[in-house]
Amino acid sequence: MAKLSSSEAAGRVVDRCVQIFGGRGYDRDCPVERLYRELRVDRIWEGTSEIQRLIIAGELRKRGLGFLNLPA
Ligand SMILES: Cc1cc2nc3c(=O)[nH]c(=O)nc-3n(C[C@H](O)[C@H](O)[C@H](O)COP(=O)(O)OP(=O)(O)OC[C@H]3O[C@@H](n4cnc5c(N)ncnc54)[C@H](O)[C@@H]3O)c2cc1C
């Protein structure tokens, strides 16, 4: 769950960064472009986001909300 939420959040943030930098953010010379490329793979390797969601949904179905350990 941590991997899913952090990689999705990082993707949203870096996408916003590229947008803020405009055309420069898309240029290979811009550090933001490299960050965008490097963070993109986090939603693919070590379990794609879709597979992570399937696993979490499966655990929810099996164990109910209890395994989330939510505060009362
Ligand atoms: C740079 C890089 C380094 C890597 N290094 C390693 C490594 O060191 N060791 C290692 O073992 N592997 C490594 N991998 C492989 C990586 O773990 C796989 O790419 C990843 O598991 C996704 O598998 P796939 O590429 O075959 O995509 P696929 O399984 O073909 O999936 C393609 C798309 O379909 C979606 N999808 C697939 N099945 C479902 C489903 N049932 N429901 C909904 N959506 C689905 C996926 O989420 C994805 O969006 C690396 C990959 C990359 C890109």
Side-chain angles (χ1 to χ4, degrees):
M1 288 166 65
K3 192 265 186 187
L4 173 66
S5 60
S6 54
S7 59
E8 289 284 331
R12 287 193 298 274
V13 169
V14 80
D15 184 79
R16 190 75 60 85
C17 290
V18 171
Q19 195 68 23
I20 288 167
F21 277 84
R24 262 189 307 147
Y26 191 71
D27 194 292
R28 282 237 158 173
D29 290 334
C30 186
V32 163
E33 184 275 342
R34 183 167 169 203
L35 262 181
Y36 183 87
R37 226 167 352 103
E38 288 187 352
L39 286 171
R40 186 60 186 87
V41 79
D42 288 345
R43 284 185 276 156
I44 296 172
W45 62 11
E46 293 182 11
T48 63
S49 291
E50 290 75 22
I51 297 302
Q52 302 274 334
R53 287 191 184 97
L54 281 177
I55 292 168
I56 294 165
E59 289 300 315
L60 277 171
R61 206 172 48 182
K62 245 191 326 202
R63 300 203 254 166
L65 288 174
F67 92 100
L68 292 175
N69 241 341
L70 296 171

